[in-house]
């Protein structure tokens, strides 16, 4: 549907270039739709690896279709070169999400609390957990183990809904059961939207899960983060990230470390390897100045 829908859109008028971000199969469909129309593609966040997810295959395929590349780090730019892309096509832009963190006006605590019905006087954990697409059949065990660790820690937690990958329904059902056991201590939000989600990272005590946001966005808030399992294996990590296998005792210990005030203090002034908050300026400058010939 994404492929055919994009093709219909592209057929209506001429486009100079299409800009795509990330590595999801939806974005791959958009990228692939550009090929028969000979529309140049600019790709943001190429060159990255996440060995636990099928996204690697899609991301690198998008790199080979794309004409311009905006990498979040120098290491990722190097990998794009290793894929055979010419130097002039590659810009180390940083991650655009950091521009939003540093420059956008995020909702304040009161607005966030009212909008989503969340009591935020006590800083909660925020959980973002998705299926690991290269470990089919493991979602139930992994989710049960994670939720058991959260119950043992006994802190308020805001859960975000899993993405649309296979076995997300398994995770969602276990989340719902968890809410029933934790009235007044756990909440599920279907979708925060970008600005609200960043505001939640600002308000959170720690982030838990296996989303790329735990590696890219959380350093911008010096937020302790427990990265669970293999889904993000291979990505660059900042000092705020605690990697943890999916075992109950290990998860509980990692969460307790993340919420230790001493660990949070140790992150003051930390560097975010994903950029300085000026990605948009670099991307726009390149898109404006590059000749389309």
């Amino acid at each position: 549907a994404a492929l055919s829908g994009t093709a219909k859109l592209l057929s209506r008028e001429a486009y100079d270039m299409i800009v795509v971000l990330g590595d999801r199969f939806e974005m791959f469909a958009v990228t692939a739709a550009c090929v028969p129309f000979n529309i140049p593609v600019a790709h943001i966040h190429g060159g990255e690896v996440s060995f636990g997810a099928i996204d690697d295959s899609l991301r690198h395929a998008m790199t080979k279709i794309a004409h311009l590349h905006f990498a979040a780090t120098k290491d990722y730019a190097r990998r794009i070169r290793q894929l055979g892309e010419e130097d002039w096509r590659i810009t180390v832009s940083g991650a655009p999400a950091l521009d939003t963190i540093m420059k956008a006006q995020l909702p304040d605590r009161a607005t966030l609390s009212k909008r989503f019905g969340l009591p935020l006087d006590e800083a909660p954990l925020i959980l973002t957990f998705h299926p690991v697409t290269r470990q089919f059949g493991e979602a139930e065990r992994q989710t049960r183990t994670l939720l058991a660790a959260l119950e043992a820690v006994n802190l308020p937690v805001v859960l975000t809904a899993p993405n649309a990958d296979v076995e997300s329904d398994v995770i969602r059902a276990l989340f719902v059961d968890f809410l029933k056991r934790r009235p007044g201590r756990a909440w599920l939000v279907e979708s925060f939207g970008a600005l609200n989600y960043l505001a939640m990272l600002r308000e959170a005590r720690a982030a838990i899960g296996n989303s790329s946001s735990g590696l890219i966005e959380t350093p911008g808030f010096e937020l302790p983060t427990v990265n669970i399992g293999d889904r993000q294996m291979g990505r660059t990590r900042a000092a705020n990230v605690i990697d943890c296998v999916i075992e109950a005792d290990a998860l509980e210990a990692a969460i307790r470390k993340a919420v230790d005030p001493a660990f949070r203090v140790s992150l003051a002034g930390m560097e975010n390897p994903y950029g300085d908050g000026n990605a948009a300026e670099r991307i726009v400058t390149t898109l404006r100045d590059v000749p389309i010939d």
Side-chain angles (χ1 to χ4, degrees):
L3 181 61
S4 61
T6 303
K8 291 177 182 177
L9 175 67
L10 298 179
S11 68
R12 292 174 189 162
E13 57 183 288
Y15 291 85
D16 293 327
M17 187 175 292
I18 300 295
V19 181
V20 295
L21 184 150
D23 46 38
R24 296 283 303 161
F25 52 81
E26 302 93 336
M27 284 297 99
F28 176 77
V30 172
T31 305
C34 294
V35 175
F37 291 94
N38 287 310
I39 298 173
V41 173
H43 183 210
I44 302 170
H45 276 294
E48 303 181 16
V49 290
S50 48
F51 296 125
I54 60 172
D55 299 350
D56 269 5
S57 301
L58 300 171
R59 186 188 308 111
H60 297 334
M62 290 167 69
T63 290
K64 295 310 300 178
I65 293 173
H67 303 76
L68 296 176
H69 312 277
F70 298 101
T73 73
K74 291 181 180 179
D75 283 345
Y76 296 154
R78 175 178 53 79
R79 187 169 288 110
I80 293 171
R81 293 188 192 94
Q82 289 175 328
L83 288 167
E85 299 301 296
E86 300 160 289
D87 283 346
W88 71 267
R89 299 181 182 274
I90 305 167
T91 300
V92 180
S93 62
L98 304 191
D99 296 33
T100 306
I101 291 171
M102 298 177 69
K103 298 172 182 176
Q105 184 173 353
L106 302 180
D108 61 23
R109 180 182 300 175
T111 300
L112 200 62
S113 177
K114 182 178 180 181
R115 187 172 293 166
F116 296 98
L118 302 173
L120 296 176
D121 293 336
E122 182 182 3
L125 303 174
I126 182 165
L127 173 67
T128 305
F129 189 72
H130 303 302
V132 183
T133 47
R134 292 200 185 278
Q135 296 175 357
F136 179 75
E138 286 291 302
E140 181 175 357
R141 180 192 68 81
Q142 292 177 352
T143 307
R144 288 188 184 279
T145 303
L146 169 58
L147 296 178
L150 288 171
E151 286 197 76
V153 172
N154 193 28
L155 290 171
V157 56
V158 176
L159 302 90
T160 64
N163 64 20
D165 287 338
V166 175
E167 292 196 295
S168 62
D169 57 332
V170 174
I171 295 176
R172 180 185 292 274
L174 291 171
F175 280 4
V176 171
D177 287 342
F178 180 75
L179 298 183
K180 293 176 182 176
R181 299 195 304 271
R182 308 285 291 171
R185 299 290 283 174
W187 302 266
L188 175 65
V189 174
E190 282 294 328
S191 177
F192 275 110
L195 294 181
N196 295 316
Y197 180 73
L198 292 175
M200 273 303 304
L201 295 182
R202 181 196 63 212
E203 298 298 330
R205 181 178 304 198
I208 316 291
N210 61 5
S211 167
S212 61
S213 66
L215 304 185
I216 298 173
E217 281 94 331
T218 62
F221 298 98
E222 299 178 351
L223 179 65
T225 298
V226 178
N227 176 63
I228 300 171
D230 297 339
R231 190 169 184 267
Q232 300 302 330
M233 185 185 298
R235 286 192 192 269
T236 299
R237 278 125 168 86
N240 67 313
V241 176
I242 303 166
D243 287 308
C244 185
V245 296
I246 306 179
E247 296 175 1
D249 290 344
L251 281 166
E252 182 181 345
I255 295 169
R256 292 192 185 281
K257 178 180 177 179
V259 300
D260 185 338
F263 182 67
R264 182 105 191 213
V265 169
S266 75
L267 302 177
M270 62 167 284
E271 179 182 355
N272 190 336
Y274 287 93
D276 58 5
N278 293 302
E281 182 178 350
R282 298 184 183 103
I283 292 169
V284 169
T285 296
T286 298
L287 294 178
R288 181 192 64 206
D289 296 343
V290 69
I292 302 177
D293 54 22

